Amino acid sequence: MVWLGAVRAPSIAFLVAAGCIATSACGGGGGHIKNLPLQWQGVEAPPRASGSVGRALSVAPLAFGLRDLRESPAAVGRYADDGFVVQTTDNVGQYCTDRIGAILVGAGAHLEPGAPTTLEIELLDYYVVEGGSFEGTVRMRTTLRRGADAVWTKTYAGASKRWGRTHNPENFNEALSNSLAEATQQLLRDEEFAKTLGEPPPTGPMLQPGSAPRRPGSSGG
């Protein structure tokens, strides 16, 4: 599980990796992409929360963590014609944690490790298939926990289809970025998520069915 320990400046995801300066290293010259530095590209507008989700996010601190459950953590795509697998040396789990964390903060969330309510995300798919186009897919399972108890869970899938030059790293990153943005947008507009997040955690012992609360000074006998 990768936890967002501190809010990071969103601009961190826009830094261009030094290894991508030479197009041969990234495959920008039309050859096979040996390593894809992950970059946030091509998203026209950041995901926005609905009014109810925004209000729920702003009410109380929220802990946030992401776990990469994909079978091959380095694989982020493949070519449909020959099956070549595009990989990255970047930490996909940390990258997605930073990106989603920045989006949550932008939507009004107060992310604090150790908060009583936790949003856990499990990354199930994160890849692009390049054929006649660049088709991205991101799938993530989200769970809200209060303490150790899961109180809500749902899976979201984001997709993106881009056109562009063959074996181009920018097209891969645009498809991945827009797919992740779409999946996160679905979360930020989910009324069930807003309702569950906005429910206050229990503050005392649960009453047994048929019982009544005791009045101050009552012995109960």
Side-chain angles (χ1 to χ4, degrees), residues 205 207-208 210-221:
L207 292 174
Q208 295 299 318
S211 64
R214 296 180 181 179
R215 295 190 301 274
S218 171
S219 64

Side-chain angles (χ1 to χ4, degrees), residues 148-197:
D149 298 327
V151 295
W152 176 87
T153 186
K154 191 169 184 177
T155 299
Y156 301 99
S160 175
K161 187 173 184 177
R162 323 294 291 179
W163 306 93
R165 185 160 54 92
T166 301
H167 303 348
N168 186 292
E170 290 186 359
N171 293 327
F172 268 85
N173 272 310
E174 285 188 8
L176 289 171
S177 298
N178 279 278
S179 298
L180 184 62
E182 181 180 302
T184 308
Q185 179 72 86
Q186 293 171 22
L187 169 67
L188 292 179
R189 294 191 175 275
D190 193 310
E191 294 304 308
E192 292 182 358
F193 173 64
K195 182 177 182 296
T196 308
L197 183 61

Side-chain angles (χ1 to χ4, degrees), residues 64 121 147 163:
F64 170 56
I121 291 183
W163 306 93

Side-chain angles (χ1 to χ4, degrees), residues 5 31 36 50 60 67 69 78-79 82 87 90 95 104 109 122 124 130 132 158 160 189-190 198-199 202 207 210:
L36 179 72
S50 66
R67 181 166 48 184
L69 295 186
R78 65 179 174 84
Y79 301 152
D82 62 5
Q87 301 191 62
D90 292 344
Y95 172 81
L104 290 171
E122 294 172 320
L124 307 176
E130 179 188 341
S160 175
R189 294 191 175 275
D190 193 310
E199 292 175 351
L207 292 174

